[in-house]
Amino acid sequence: MSMDTQQPFTVGARVKVRYSSDPELAREQWPKHSGVVKEDFGDQTTAVTERSWALAHRYAVALDDGRLVFIDPADIEPA
């Protein structure tokens, strides 16, 4: 299920993201974390990058607990 309800998010926006560093945890079980968008890398489609491998995540988000995570649009929502 996509959390992507309002796109794009601007730098500085408060958001909630689904994120887990546990490789064994199913994506649907990832917990939500609050944070602030620090960078929007834009749409990373093959039409833009001319490749279909190693595409960057769209957003860099500084979580309230101090971690910096990189998030896809399906894993972000307004706070």
Side-chain angles (χ1 to χ4, degrees):
M1 181 168 121
S2 173
M3 293 174 58
D4 182 11
T5 57
Q6 291 182 353
Q7 291 298 325
F9 290 98
T10 58
V11 171
R14 295 273 318 153
V15 294
K16 288 186 180 179
V17 299
R18 284 204 183 274
Y19 176 78
S20 176
S21 59
D22 182 351
E24 295 184 18
L25 190 62
R27 187 178 193 139
E28 302 82 41
Q29 296 176 329
W30 289 358
K32 288 184 183 179
H33 301 277
S34 295
V36 176
V37 174
K38 293 298 183 180
E39 186 63 65
D40 177 355
F41 298 107
D43 192 14
Q44 297 291 312
T45 64
T46 54
V48 173
T49 63
E50 297 182 10
R51 67 176 195 267
S52 60
W53 52 271
L55 298 176
H57 296 283
R58 170 117 193 210
Y59 298 101
V61 177
L63 300 181
D64 292 344
D65 65 10
R67 292 179 290 167
L68 179 66
V69 298
F70 298 91
I71 301 295
D72 292 318
D75 297 317
I76 190 169
E77 68 183 27

